[in-house]
Amino acid sequence: MAVSAMVLVMLVLPAAGGLLAWNFRQTMEASFNNQLASLLDAVISSVHYQSESDSLALRRDLVDPRFNRVFSGWYWQASAGRERVLTSRSLWDQRLLLADMPELSFQRIDGPRDQSLIMASRQITLPSLRQPVTVALAADAKDLEEDIERFQALLFASLAALGLLLLLFFGLQLFWGLAPLRRIERSLKAVESGERETLDTNLPEELARLARAINLVLEHDQALIERGRTTAGNLAHALKTPVAVLATLAERLPEAQRQEFSVELNRVNDAVRHHLARASAAGPAAIGSGLKLDQALAPVLNALSVLAQRRSIDLTVSIDAGVSARIEEQDAEEIVGNLLENALNWAETKVTLTITGGSAGVAILVEDDGPGMSGQQCQQALERGSQLDESRSGSGLGLAIVKDLASLYGATLELERSDLGGLRARVQFSPD
């Protein structure tokens, strides 16, 4: 809008200025020509023929002193052939180049000392003189051009000032007119940061309707998320009992059948656990304040600390004070819980959890002093249901679930050799 206004001002004002300047020139030239015609009539009324001397003469002198000052730029001349020539004193010994024009005409000619003259001339007939007399009056166009140039300079300066004022006022109008949009922007940021739950609707009616529509969408999406997570939780509870009953019934089967049945039942249990974990994940918390990780993870860490004590493993936890992430609480518990369970399952004596925040984002680091894994094993461990050591408990889903949950939040999971000798699992969240 600002650019279009600038283009409009830059096109319209110069065009209007050019039109005004042209009209002013036409008016000034017409007024100047009328002045010349009036003076020419005064000269014509004074010119008469003296038959005694066969010459032209004036009955009375013109009162304008410019015609008496030599080369003043104002001249008159009457001529009837080359022999009969009468001029103003201002012409001195110079002559005007006259053309035989029976009617009143105006033209530009060169005058004495390279003056640019505007000349008015016409032919008349005097009594007792058969030959027509051409009478001309010329004036220097310099004064006219200077007046026109002064007007044009004033005009374009005024138009330039007007253009700047128009752009300034248009900018102020834009600033004032777009203020409600800036309020919507601030309101959106407040909703995103968790300071508000809905957009401010105290706006002009057009934008208030938009804000109310966005609020309806936000409420609808939140309701869908909650309903989906509730449904996933209900489904998980509904499946746990039948799976547990089937596992109990499988123990009564003969050995050969029990082994095959247990394998397939474990596959069902793993698939249910994996997909329910993904279905119940909230995904990126784009709207809402960041989750304080030290407070949110306290229940999980307390439970896993008890497990570590039972296995005689030293669990060290270090969480930066006040570090927060845009993540749902149960998703954070799922990520950290799975990483720590995996580390406790393989560690010999020590497991560490380090959570840091900074310009690079939040990093969750879990290390153990277990046997560790090679690069190929790290890749294999991220595949759903992969279990590198069948003698260890677990279904092999922990790292795969962490990887899936991390990807929902745009985070990455990396596995590498730890300085403790075992595995280092690092989940890196991007900065907000």
Side-chain angles (χ1 to χ4, degrees):
M1 293 175 68
V3 171
S4 62
M6 185 178 299
V7 171
L8 184 64
V9 168
M10 294 178 64
L11 290 178
V12 172
L13 288 185
L19 182 61
L20 288 174
W22 180 81
N23 283 328
F24 181 78
R25 173 178 286 277
Q26 295 297 110
T27 301
M28 289 295 292
E29 289 181 350
S31 176
F32 193 78
N33 290 343
N34 289 336
Q35 182 182 4
L36 293 182
S38 298
L39 292 174
L40 179 63
D41 289 341
V43 174
I44 291 174
S45 64
S46 297
V47 172
H48 69 282
Y49 173 66
Q50 293 180 337
S51 56
E52 300 84 2
S53 59
D54 190 24
S55 63
L56 300 175
L58 286 184
R59 291 191 180 90
R60 60 184 181 277
D61 291 335
L62 297 179
V63 295
D64 196 325
R66 292 175 293 184
F67 294 110
N68 294 323
R69 191 170 62 250
V70 178
F71 302 139
S72 64
W74 288 78
Y75 315 106
W76 59 264
Q77 176 178 313
S79 60
R82 295 183 178 181
E83 296 79 12
R84 306 179 188 90
V85 177
L86 181 65
T87 66
S88 63
R89 187 172 183 276
S90 56
L91 265 176
W92 196 244
D93 58 349
Q94 302 294 313
R95 295 293 182 268
L96 300 177
L97 297 178
L98 304 182
D100 294 334
M101 295 290 183
E103 302 295 333
L104 177 63
S105 63
F106 299 91
Q107 56 185 313
R108 284 183 176 263
I109 63 171
D110 294 329
R113 297 186 176 181
D114 298 326
Q115 294 172 332
S116 178
L117 304 178
I118 298 178
M119 183 179 69
S121 63
R122 64 179 296 183
Q123 284 186 344
I124 62 173
T125 302
L126 296 178
S128 306
L129 182 63
R130 292 184 178 180
Q131 188 176 11
V133 177
T134 301
V135 182
L137 189 141
D140 195 345
K142 179 181 179 181
D143 294 338
L144 174 64
E145 295 296 335
E146 288 178 351
D147 290 341
I148 293 176
E149 288 175 2
R150 279 194 299 270
F151 173 80
Q152 290 179 346
L154 179 61
L155 173 65
F156 288 114
S158 301
L159 290 177
L162 176 61
L164 291 178
L165 287 176
L166 287 175
L167 292 177
L168 176 61
F169 285 121
F170 189 79
L172 292 176
Q173 184 183 19
L174 274 180
F175 181 81
W176 175 79
L178 296 180
L181 290 180
R182 289 193 295 275
R183 288 167 55 190
I184 288 183
E185 180 186 13
R186 290 193 297 268
S187 186
L188 279 172
K189 290 182 178 178
V191 171
E192 182 182 6
S193 64
E195 299 175 9
R196 305 176 55 97
E197 293 184 356
T198 58
L199 296 182
D200 181 14
T201 56
N202 185 21
L203 299 164
E205 182 57 30
E206 297 80 359
L207 296 178
R209 290 197 297 267
L210 173 63
R212 288 193 291 267
I214 294 177
N215 286 337
L216 290 176
V217 172
L218 293 176
E219 294 172 2
H220 180 68
D221 288 349
Q222 188 63 31
L224 288 179
I225 292 173
E226 293 299 329
R227 186 172 64 184
R229 298 186 67 178
T230 301
T231 302
N234 294 337
L235 181 60
H237 287 292
L239 291 175
K240 282 182 180 179
T241 299
V243 171
V245 171
L246 289 175
T248 302
L249 294 176
E251 296 295 329
R252 302 176 184 177
L253 296 175
E255 180 65 27
Q257 295 179 354
R258 183 172 67 247
Q259 183 67 25
E260 294 180 0
F261 192 82
S262 296
V263 170
E264 296 301 323
L265 187 59
N266 286 335
R267 289 178 61 187
V268 172
N269 189 37
D270 292 346
V272 169
R273 180 185 169 191
H274 179 262
H275 289 293
L276 286 178
R278 293 200 62 181
S280 62
I287 297 178
S289 57
L291 179 70
K292 301 293 184 182
L293 295 181
D294 53 350
Q295 301 174 9
L297 297 177
V300 174
L301 296 178
N302 291 336
L304 292 176
S305 295
V306 176
L307 178 61
Q309 290 177 1
R310 291 178 181 174
R311 297 183 180 181
S312 300
I313 296 176
D314 180 19
L315 175 59
T316 303
V317 177
S318 175
I319 303 178
D320 288 351
V323 65
S324 62
R326 292 288 182 85
I327 184 173
E328 288 293 321
E329 182 174 349
Q330 70 180 57
D331 295 340
E333 292 176 351
E334 189 80 16
I335 290 175
V336 174
N338 278 287
L339 290 178
L340 287 178
E341 285 181 6
N342 183 76
L344 291 172
N345 190 41
W346 291 92
E348 298 292 339
T349 61
K350 187 175 181 60
V351 172
T352 64
L353 168 65
T354 305
I355 301 179
T356 59
S359 58
V362 175
I364 300 176
L365 198 65
V366 176
E367 300 181 77
D368 63 69
D369 61 350
M373 293 186 293
S374 64
Q376 181 178 0
Q377 289 174 325
C378 289
Q379 182 68 27
Q380 184 181 355
L382 296 177
E383 298 177 2
R384 180 169 64 89
S386 175
Q387 192 170 358
L388 301 179
D389 189 348
E390 298 293 341
S391 65
R392 300 289 182 115
S393 61
S395 61
L397 283 172
L399 293 177
I401 291 176
V402 171
K403 179 184 177 183
D404 288 344
L405 288 177
S407 65
L408 289 177
Y409 291 91
T412 57
L413 171 61
E414 298 177 356
L415 302 179
E416 56 186 359
R417 176 69 65 174
S418 169
D419 294 337
L420 298 179
L423 181 67
R424 174 188 290 155
R426 179 187 185 91
V427 178
Q428 180 68 52
F429 289 88
S430 301
D432 293 338

